[in-house]
Amino acid sequence: MTLVLVTNGNYSRILLGMKKRGLGIGKWNGFGGKLEPGESIEAAAARELHEESGVVALNLERRGVVWQKFVNDPVALEFHVFHADKFEGTPMESDEMAPKWFEIGDIPFQEMWKDDEIWYPAFLRREYFRLFLLFRGTETMLGHHIEQVDSTDLAPCTDLAGTWGEKWKGEAEMARENSLTLLEDGTIVDPILQAHQSVVVKAPLI
C-alpha cells in the first residue's frame, strides 16, 4: 500500500485529507491506497494522490516503510511512505478524502492514527525510516519500533516474519494483556499468526 504526504517547499505546511469512508474513517491522513494489478508502488502512489486530492505530484521520493500488524489478524500491512513538494493542481474533495492544508505546528495528531506522532517527526526532519507497529483494533497501539535507515533500505520486505522478529521492541506485559503467548525465551507469539506461519515478535522477559 502507499501513503503520500504533500508539503510546500520549505516544510511549513502539509496537505492532509479527512478520510470519509473505509479504514481510518474520521481521521486525517496522507493520500494513498492499494496497488492495482501490474502497477508499481510509485505509480500507485501518484495515482492514489491524484484520485483522492486532485493533485498531480511532479516529484515523489520514497521516505519510509511501515509494517502494521493487528492482533488476531494474520495479515500484516506494508505501507510505503512518499513525499512530494512539487505538484500541479488545486486540492479538491473526492469521494474518499477531504483535503486541507495545515501549518506544521498545527498538525491534528489527536484526530489521526496513533502512530503518526511517532514517525511524522522523522519525516519532517527529512529522514528515511522503517517502522514496525502492533495494534489491537484501530485505536490501541500496543507497541512500536522505529529506526532511521538509508534511502536504499526501503525496499518491500521479503521476509516479514524474520524482520519483525529481529526488530520488535515490545514488552512482555503486552502479551499477557492481549491473549498472546509468552515463551520462556521472551518470544511473544500470536497464535493466529503462528498458525499461518507469519509474524513472531520478540520482547524482553520481565
Side-chain angles (χ1 to χ4, degrees):
M1 300 182 73
T2 65
L3 183 67
V4 182
L5 294 177
V6 178
T7 69
N8 59 352
N10 62 4
Y11 278 68
S12 64
R13 301 174 73 210
I14 188 168
L15 184 67
L16 300 174
M18 169 58 68
K19 191 70 180 295
K20 297 166 60 177
R21 66 183 186 190
L23 182 65
I25 185 172
K27 297 180 185 294
W28 292 101
N29 203 355
F31 306 89
K34 298 178 181 178
L35 279 66
E36 294 182 349
E39 190 175 37
S40 70
I41 296 173
E42 290 78 6
R47 174 184 55 77
E48 289 281 356
L49 173 64
H50 183 240
E51 290 178 354
E52 294 182 350
S53 71
V55 169
V56 176
L58 301 180
N59 65 331
L60 275 177
E61 181 186 25
R62 195 179 313 199
R63 295 285 301 282
V65 60
V66 179
W67 291 284
Q68 186 174 18
K69 161 71 178 66
F70 295 90
V71 171
N72 294 328
D73 186 339
V75 177
L77 302 178
E78 181 177 85
F79 292 89
H80 294 264
V81 180
F82 289 84
H83 174 234
D85 61 3
K86 296 179 182 178
F87 55 89
E88 293 179 343
T90 301
M92 299 177 59
E93 185 170 348
S94 65
D95 291 342
E96 191 166 352
M97 302 284 274
K100 178 181 177 180
W101 285 102
F102 289 89
E103 298 296 323
I104 293 301
D106 296 327
I107 294 175
F109 286 115
Q110 70 279 5
E111 301 176 62
M112 298 168 67
W113 284 94
K114 300 296 184 182
D115 59 278
D116 288 345
E117 288 188 280
I118 297 168
W119 64 266
Y120 266 57
F123 171 84
L124 294 172
R125 291 193 299 267
R126 311 188 188 197
E127 297 173 356
Y128 302 95
F129 64 90
R130 295 195 299 189
L131 174 64
F132 301 81
L133 299 168
L134 182 64
F135 270 76
R136 182 179 63 226
T138 59
E139 298 299 324
T140 304
M141 183 172 61
L142 301 176
H144 71 275
H145 173 64
I146 187 170
E147 57 188 15
Q148 184 177 353
V149 298
D150 294 329
S151 60
T152 56
D153 293 331
L154 297 176
C157 185
T158 57
D159 180 20
L160 182 56
T163 301
W164 198 297
E166 291 174 2
K167 301 299 182 183
W168 183 252
K169 303 296 182 182
E171 296 187 0
E173 291 97 329
M174 179 260 298
R176 302 187 183 99
E177 292 173 0
N178 295 281
S179 300
L180 305 180
T181 301
L182 179 65
L183 305 183
E184 291 183 359
D185 66 354
T187 299
I188 293 175
V189 179
D190 183 330
I192 301 297
L193 291 181
Q194 189 178 38
H196 288 79
Q197 297 183 336
S198 186
V199 177
V200 175
V201 296
K202 286 284 188 178
L205 285 172
I206 298 302

